[in-house]
């Protein structure tokens, strides 16, 4: 099983989502999602998070903390990070067609979001026991 990262990018109470192109043959085409992807050979979860955000949005980020680790057979298979952007100049990859900064309330109404309930749960977790 490949290891993965997801990155929730928050700035001024808004969260960055990117929209998958409709013509993508991949699962979840046309859906809104947070940045993320698979780890490359010998890459750490942190390194993968920084690289994936750069590839998908052209943003440099500061990782604030781990929101959730997902385990499979006692081994970490995915990590969800909370991050802050160092700038707000988003430049999308060819996999994505749009982006937006959304408040939590806007996210609850936005459709379609890949794994929406889980994503909103992660947003809730990002606020617990944390002060920026």
């Amino acid at each position: 099983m490949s290891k993965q990262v997801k990155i929730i990018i928050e700035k001024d109470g808004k969260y960055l989502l990117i929209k998958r192109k409709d013509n993508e043959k991949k699962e979840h085409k046309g859906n809104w999602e947070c940045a993320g992807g698979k780890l490359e050979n010998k890459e750490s979860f942190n390194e993968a998070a920084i690289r994936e955000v750069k590839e998908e949005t052209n943003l440099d980020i500061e990782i604030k903390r781990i929101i959730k680790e997902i385990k499979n057979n006692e081994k970490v298979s995915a990590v969800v990070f909370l991050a802050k952007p160092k700038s707000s100049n988003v430049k999308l990859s060819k996999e994505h067609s749009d982006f937006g900064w959304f408040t939590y309330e806007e996210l609850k109404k936005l459709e379609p979001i890949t794994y929406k309930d889980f994503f909103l749960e992660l947003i809730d977790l990002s606020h617990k026991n944390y002060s920026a």
Side-chain angles (χ1 to χ4, degrees):
M1 176 180 230
S2 60
K3 295 180 179 180
Q4 298 184 38
V5 292
K6 287 291 183 187
I7 307 91
I8 295 178
I9 301 170
E10 187 271 332
K11 181 180 178 187
D12 300 326
K14 293 190 174 189
Y15 302 90
L16 178 64
L17 286 186
I18 49 183
K19 188 173 190 177
R20 241 188 213 290
K21 284 188 175 178
D22 287 329
N23 62 357
E24 282 280 311
K25 292 181 182 175
K26 295 181 180 177
E27 187 179 18
H28 311 301
K29 64 183 179 183
N31 282 17
W32 291 96
E33 62 186 7
C34 58
K38 295 178 182 173
L39 272 67
E40 293 180 352
N41 193 28
K42 297 185 180 182
E43 189 175 44
S44 72
F45 285 103
N46 280 44
E47 290 167 337
I50 291 166
R51 177 186 51 75
E52 284 290 346
V53 170
K54 187 69 171 178
E55 287 176 4
E56 294 181 355
T57 67
N58 200 43
L59 291 176
D60 292 315
I61 58 168
E62 176 186 352
I63 293 177
K64 290 300 197 179
R65 69 184 184 96
I66 293 172
I67 297 172
K68 187 172 186 80
E69 288 184 340
I70 300 164
K71 294 184 178 182
N72 186 11
N73 295 327
E74 302 300 316
K75 293 183 180 178
V76 176
S77 60
V79 175
V80 181
F81 292 97
L82 176 65
K84 299 275 185 189
K86 294 181 179 179
S87 71
S88 55
N89 301 324
V90 175
K91 182 179 176 191
L92 294 173
S93 72
K94 63 181 182 190
E95 297 174 351
H96 297 93
S97 62
D98 200 2
F99 74 93
W101 293 93
F102 302 97
T103 65
Y104 183 77
E105 291 303 314
E106 291 168 332
L107 288 172
K108 290 196 297 189
K109 298 172 190 166
L110 186 65
E111 294 291 342
I113 298 176
T114 302
Y115 307 120
K116 184 174 185 172
D117 291 340
F118 182 60
F119 178 72
L120 293 174
E121 176 188 329
L122 293 171
I123 298 284
D124 287 338
L125 286 172
S126 74
H127 293 288
K128 292 190 174 165
N129 303 320
Y130 179 73
S131 56

